[in-house]
Amino acid sequence: QVQLVESGGGLVQAGDSLRLSCAASGRTFSSYSMGWFRQAPGKEREFVAGIVRSGDYTAYAESVKGRFTISRDNAKSTVYLQMNSLKPEDTAIYYCAASQRYGGVAVTRRPGEYDYWGQGTQVTVSS
């Protein structure tokens, strides 16, 4: 069992930066691939970024590539999402999730392949 708690969301202006954190409980954090997803009002949950258990491989949605960076610290059982050059269209609730579907060695973009989810943190970007 893994419990995930996100933090770091808030209200910012376009062009600003935010860093989201997701703290995990349990001893097996380092065995999971981790992902960040977001959901805007009236839209489906979408993949934002993912990282394998070792941290050696990452993947991003095209809409955030070059602006967002995912990283993890297995010693602290925490995954981060550094978000730079924020745009109003980045406004959403951001969720972190943990997956062992592929043994933690691959990133999946499918929400249904994640085993555990956090409660989400709101990010609002004003123009």
Side-chain angles (χ1 to χ4, degrees):
Q1 187 80 6
V2 176
Q3 292 184 327
L4 304 171
V5 179
E6 301 97 334
S7 61
L11 172 63
V12 297
Q13 293 187 334
D16 285 350
S17 298
L18 276 177
R19 188 175 83 153
L20 305 183
S21 299
C22 173
S25 64
R27 300 179 181 178
T28 59
F29 173 79
S30 60
S31 67
Y32 288 84
S33 292
M34 299 298 296
W36 283 98
F37 289 77
R38 66 187 181 187
Q39 188 166 18
K43 295 188 177 182
E44 293 187 352
R45 191 169 298 190
E46 65 173 355
F47 173 82
V48 175
I51 187 167
V52 296
R53 66 186 188 187
S54 67
D56 290 342
Y57 175 79
T58 58
Y60 298 92
E62 284 298 320
S63 60
V64 306
K65 197 173 291 185
R67 299 189 297 123
F68 290 11
T69 302
I70 188 171
S71 61
R72 66 189 296 161
D73 185 337
N74 286 341
K76 295 182 178 180
S77 296
T78 302
V79 62
Y80 305 97
L81 186 67
Q82 178 67 43
M83 305 186 295
N84 298 330
S85 302
L86 282 161
K87 304 176 181 179
E89 50 264 43
D90 295 318
T91 294
I93 299 174
Y94 283 71
Y95 300 90
C96 71
S99 173
Q100 271 196 332
R101 178 63 64 96
Y102 302 104
V105 297
V107 171
T108 176
R109 298 169 184 254
R110 301 184 180 93
E113 294 187 341
Y114 284 79
D115 305 296
Y116 302 102
W117 292 84
Q119 83 290 347
T121 186
Q122 177 72 47
V123 172
T124 303
V125 184
S126 63
S127 58

